[in-house]
Amino acid sequence: QIPVPVLQISPSQHPVKAGLSDAFMVLNPSPDVPESRRRTIYEYHRVELDTSRITSLSAVEFTPLPTCLQHQSCEMCVSSELTFNCSWCHVLQRYL
């Protein structure tokens, strides 16, 4: 049960986010403390849900779109109709 409607939650006190995202993390040495590392997260794709539709007893189903990972050859990669730019690397025999 959601005790407070999501739209009534103040974004300044507690920002509400719902969805999923893809990102990668880089560990860099911290300039202040040489033994520690600073995490930097680079987000490159996000799917956000309409928070007004989040209610008690609701569910969300995500269906993944095709990606470059499914391509096993240059021909499959180049002829695909993906909505983003990927390309085949002949040297590595994989997508980029």
Side-chain angles (χ1 to χ4, degrees):
Q1 294 293 334
I2 297 176
V4 176
V6 175
L7 293 176
Q8 290 181 7
I9 300 171
S10 167
S12 62
Q13 294 177 0
H14 185 76
V16 175
K17 294 183 179 186
L20 35 102
S21 64
D22 290 331
F24 63 92
M25 182 177 64
V26 176
L27 295 173
N28 293 315
S30 177
D32 302 329
V33 184
E35 304 85 36
S36 68
R37 292 184 176 168
R38 182 177 48 196
R39 285 189 319 184
T40 305
I41 297 174
Y42 296 95
E43 184 180 274
Y44 57 88
H45 189 253
R46 180 188 306 179
V47 177
E48 291 186 43
L49 298 176
D50 179 357
T51 53
S52 68
R53 300 188 55 142
I54 298 172
T55 62
S56 294
L57 304 175
S58 63
V60 176
E61 180 179 353
F62 292 98
T63 304
L65 297 173
T67 67
C68 293
L69 293 173
Q70 72 192 37
H71 303 309
Q72 304 286 319
S73 70
C74 176
E75 292 76 29
M76 289 175 64
C77 180
V78 173
S79 65
S80 70
E81 296 180 14
L82 300 176
T83 58
F84 50 89
N85 295 329
C86 67
S87 60
W88 187 261
C89 176
H90 289 283
V91 175
L92 298 175
Q93 289 294 299
R94 57 172 259 186
Y95 74 95
L96 295 174

